[in-house]
Each structure stands twice: as structure tokens, then as C-alpha cells.
Amino acid sequence: MPTHFHAIVWIDHSQAKVFHVGRSGDDEIVLHPHLPMRHLHHKAGSIGSGHAAPDKEFMAGVMNAVSDAGEILIIGPASAKTEFAKYLREQHSKIGDRIVAVEAADHPSDREIVAYAKQYFKIAPTRVAAAGGASRG
């Protein structure tokens, strides 16, 4: 079980990457929707938005992955990030209240996601003591 206070979620409709980050390192969880995303096309004059409804099982799995985080940053392309934030705020308000921001992010690498989280949450890198136990200042 992650023990870090901060979590960043990169999410789109095909997967979610959850990173718990802190000074002692980071943990990664990757989740995929139960059903593959369907592409819907909206025709003029028809009822409906042309968008598939959010996968509630997928959202619940991502919610469980961040349930113990004290602060949650949600990033991603398109609408999945805002759908997930809305899901948390409406269905699990105690967790939704811990969302600090929802921001656009295309398709960064895992390292870029973790680096962004550390910069956002102002997590300084750990300092390694110099050989011999003395540090220079």
C-alpha cells in the first residue's frame, strides 16, 4: 500500500497511471478500463452527444488507487481527466475534496509525470551525504 501523501493521476479513456510520490521515491499503478473504449460518431439530428459514458468500474479502480492520498493532482488529454474529477467530487466527496488541480497534459513519459508531480508539490530531491559523513556547505 502506498505511503506517500501526494498522488498524480494521468488518465485518458484507455488507461490511468497513478503515481504516489514523496521524498523517499514513488510508486506506480497502471489501470485499464474493463471494456475497451468505443468510438461513437454523432450524426446531425440524432439524440445524444456522440460520447460514450464514463466507465464506472474503471473510475472506481482509479479512485481506490488514490483513496489514501492527501493531495491529488489529475492530468491528461481530452475529457477523461475532468470526468474522473467530477466522479470523485460527486460520488466520493471526501476523496474529491483532496483534488488540488486538474490540468491538461498530452502523453508524457512516466519520468515526466513523476518530475511534474515533484515540481508541482515542491518535493525536493533527497540529498546524499558526501563520503566520509561530512557535507560541504
Side-chain angles (χ1 to χ4, degrees):
M1 190 58 121
T3 59
H4 304 298
F5 185 75
H6 305 287
I8 185 168
V9 177
W10 181 91
I11 188 168
D12 69 6
H13 289 103
S14 64
Q15 72 175 336
K17 294 181 179 185
V18 178
F19 295 88
H20 293 269
V21 295
R23 290 182 186 206
S24 62
D26 54 87
D27 301 314
E28 177 184 8
I29 301 166
V30 178
L31 300 137
H32 298 276
H34 179 65
L35 299 172
M37 183 64 186
R38 300 181 319 272
H39 291 282
L40 301 178
H41 299 281
H42 183 69
K43 292 184 177 183
S46 65
I47 298 173
S49 67
H51 297 286
D55 183 336
K56 301 267 191 225
E57 287 183 48
F58 176 53
M59 298 283 183
V62 181
M63 182 271 306
N64 286 331
V66 297
S67 64
D68 62 344
E71 292 184 333
I72 303 165
L73 172 60
I74 302 171
I75 64 173
S79 63
K81 65 187 174 299
T82 54
E83 291 168 2
F84 179 58
K86 180 179 177 182
Y87 170 82
L88 288 181
R89 290 178 176 134
E90 291 179 357
Q91 304 297 318
H92 305 280
S93 62
K94 289 184 180 183
I95 299 170
D97 289 344
R98 296 185 232 146
I99 298 171
V100 295
V102 178
E103 299 183 359
D106 193 21
H107 289 82
S109 69
D110 293 355
R111 288 179 89 177
E112 290 170 326
I113 295 169
V114 170
Y116 186 75
K118 288 182 177 184
Q119 179 184 6
Y120 184 90
F121 292 120
K122 296 174 178 51
I123 299 171
T126 55
R127 296 186 68 177
V128 178
S135 62
R136 297 180 184 186

